[in-house]
Amino acid sequence: MNTTIKDDYFVYEEEIKKSRFICHLKRVGNEDEAREFINKIKKEHYKANHNCSAFTLGENQEIQRSSDDGEPSGTAGVPMLEVLKKREIINVVAVVTRYFGGVKLGAGGLIRAYAGSVAHALDEAPLVKIVEQQEIKINIDYSLFDNLNRFLDTQVLKLIDAQFTTEITGSIFVDLDKVDDILSQITESFNGKVSTSLGEKRFVEVDI
């Protein structure tokens, strides 16, 4: 299940051993947007010691990038990226700004701090899951319309783009993994008197 942040931008701040860690999450559509946001945060927080970053793009996280921005290699960007990967977050860039507070954390402490900053931000941010749905086109006689509406209500589905001509036509969108089951139920419930065909696919966002 792919997930992304619901809002365009979210920020979360915490203090770890006197250092300020500010995690900025931004929803992005491509690598240019991600890098533009990273540069924007760097300009806004130019007095910070580090602005480390990570982002994933694409339905299957095809693009993955990370930067330690001066922290010891592997202690910031990669741990941040791992959190995004494990949470199956897509099309989001995370920038963690660190204002050093005078207490060194060590490699293990840095890894926990940067990964934790992203994880805690994702715990607090409103998220949506991205679900692929299949359109099922429906043709039905007027005499069965009320029964169809009752059936759709029980399945929490809705007939859209309904056209009332010699018969009633419309579409429902069903989660991809439920298509076969819904088609079977329609056939069984209406004794084959409802004509169905597959249309286009779409992605929708559902609140988590």
Side-chain angles (χ1 to χ4, degrees):
M1 178 188 73
N2 285 331
T3 304
T4 192
I5 59 173
K6 182 176 182 178
D7 300 327
D8 182 59
Y9 175 68
F10 185 82
V11 62
Y12 174 87
E13 181 174 345
E14 61 185 341
E15 184 176 307
I16 302 173
K17 292 185 178 179
K18 298 185 179 180
S19 282
R20 286 175 63 203
F21 286 85
I22 308 167
C23 181
H24 316 262
L25 299 176
K26 177 77 166 68
R27 191 165 172 172
V28 292
N30 55 57
E31 195 162 351
D32 287 341
E33 287 182 18
R35 298 199 180 283
E36 182 179 328
F37 179 71
I38 293 168
N39 290 331
K40 177 175 177 287
I41 296 300
K42 284 184 174 182
K43 287 178 182 177
E44 288 181 4
H45 293 272
Y46 66 92
K47 290 185 178 180
N49 299 85
H50 307 279
N51 287 288
C52 306
S53 60
F55 60 87
T56 61
L57 294 167
E59 184 181 339
N60 298 302
Q61 298 181 323
E62 293 91 349
I63 297 175
Q64 302 175 7
R65 302 283 186 270
S66 65
S67 168
D68 294 314
D69 194 42
E71 291 282 30
S73 180
T75 62
V78 170
M80 292 166 59
L81 181 61
E82 286 302 312
V83 173
L84 296 177
K85 289 165 61 178
K86 288 178 182 177
R87 298 280 187 104
E88 297 181 318
I89 302 292
I90 66 169
N91 300 337
V92 168
V93 54
V95 182
V96 175
T97 299
R98 182 192 184 192
Y99 287 91
F100 183 56
V103 179
K104 293 186 177 181
L105 301 180
L110 288 172
I111 291 170
R112 287 189 295 272
Y114 280 101
S117 182
V118 176
H120 297 155
L122 290 172
D123 289 340
E124 297 296 327
L127 302 176
V128 290
K129 63 179 179 178
I130 301 173
V131 179
E132 188 173 11
Q133 294 186 329
Q134 172 70 59
E135 179 187 15
I136 299 176
K137 296 181 179 180
I138 292 176
N139 293 57
I140 189 170
D141 188 79
Y142 278 82
S143 63
L144 298 173
F145 187 54
D146 287 343
N147 290 340
L148 176 66
N149 281 328
R150 282 193 288 271
F151 170 80
L152 294 178
D153 283 343
T154 64
Q155 301 296 326
V156 197
L157 296 171
K158 186 176 181 180
L159 188 70
I160 61 173
D161 297 330
Q163 302 289 322
F164 298 86
T165 54
T166 54
E167 60 181 355
I168 300 168
T169 62
S171 296
I172 58 175
F173 278 89
V174 178
D175 292 357
L176 219 54
D177 60 351
K178 298 177 181 176
V179 171
D180 290 341
D181 179 54
I182 292 296
L183 287 173
S184 296
Q185 287 193 54
I186 290 175
T187 300
E188 184 177 328
S189 299
F190 295 92
N191 298 314
K193 293 179 180 178
V194 175
S195 173
T196 60
S197 62
L198 299 182
E200 62 184 19
K201 292 180 181 178
R202 71 178 185 183
F203 289 97
V204 296
E205 297 178 3
V206 181
D207 290 349
I208 295 177

